[in-house]
């Protein structure tokens, strides 16, 4: 499933991230929290690791789920200008080239290695991905990994997901799904709901009526419905990780 232009619209929230910048292996990373035993690997959306909204979500997860949160730069230095994206004018943006440079096949190995690096230090590992990061969360929780790379996964409005990703998930999985999503399509949602309950793993699915793809990381917090969805999705992810990482 390809990403659509709706992945590149949204709003920037107010607030100042309170974490620090460091390294995960050789990858530049935003780091929030300081739990020595529990960590959450956050895979960013198309706006990357520097976009303030993602860092603010990482801060919330670190504090409320009592975890260290790593938000690495999985685009390895490429930064999309948020002003262009948030304006909705994509005429200056090479969408196809971006996917060629940053697609699944290009970045999967680095994401796996990041989880392996964290496993050396932490006793419990969660992973959460938004939009672009959604496929990565599924792949981190795939049955091919023995021992598992992560202990539980969550994702909001995932992109680039295939039915095979859904079929092969093998750790507790949470999905935060807007009602209107042209990327995580009704067909993929139906396959998810028909397949995962048969896999013998814990499954937590949240449907958010009236909101669109991107709402949980790039939604307009001046709109009452989107503010509520953002807050509820964050709270759901916190509860999920508190359940499975502590």
């Amino acid at each position: 499933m390809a990403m659509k232009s709706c992945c590149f619209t949204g709003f920037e929230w107010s607030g100042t991230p309170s974490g620090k910048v460091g390294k995960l292996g050789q990858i530049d990373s935003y780091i929030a929290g300081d739990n020595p035993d529990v960590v959450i690997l956050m895979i960013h959306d198309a706006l990357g690791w520097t976009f303030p909204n993602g860092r603010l979500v990482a801060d919330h997860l670190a504090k409320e789920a009592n975890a260290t949160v790593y938000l690495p730069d999985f685009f390895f230095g490429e930064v999309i200008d948020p002003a262009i994206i948030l304006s909705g004018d994509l005429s200056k943006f090479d969408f196809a080239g971006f996917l060629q440079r940053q697609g699944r096949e290009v970045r999967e190995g680095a994401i796996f290695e990041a989880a392996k690096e964290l496993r050396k230090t932490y006793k419990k590992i969660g992973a959460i991905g938004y939009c672009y990061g959604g496929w990565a969360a599924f792949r981190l929780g795939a049955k091919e990994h023995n021992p598992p790379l992560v202990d539980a996964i969550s994702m909001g409005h995932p992109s680039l997901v295939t039915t095979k990703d859904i079929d092969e998930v093998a750790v507790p999985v949470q999905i935060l799904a807007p009602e209107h999503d042209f990327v995580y399509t009704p067909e993929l949602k139906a396959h998810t709901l028909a397949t995962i309950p048969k896999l013998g793993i814990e499954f937590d699915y949240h449907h958010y009526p009236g909101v669109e793809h991107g709402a949980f990381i790039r939604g307009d917090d001046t709109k009452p419905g989107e503010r509520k969805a953002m807050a509820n999705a964050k709270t759901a992810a916190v509860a999920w990780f508190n359940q499975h990482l502590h």
Side-chain angles (χ1 to χ4, degrees), residues 20 28 59 85 128 130 153 182 185 189 217 238:
K20 62 184 180 182
D28 290 333
D59 289 348
I85 304 307
I128 187 166
Y130 292 93
I153 59 175
F182 297 102
T185 62
K189 290 175 180 177
I217 201 77
V238 167

Side-chain angles (χ1 to χ4, degrees), residues 8 45-48 50-51 75 78-85 93 98:
F8 296 89
D45 74 346
L47 286 173
T50 59
F51 190 53
F75 292 162
E78 179 171 2
V79 178
I80 301 171
D81 182 358
I84 294 175
I85 304 307
F93 182 69
F98 169 81

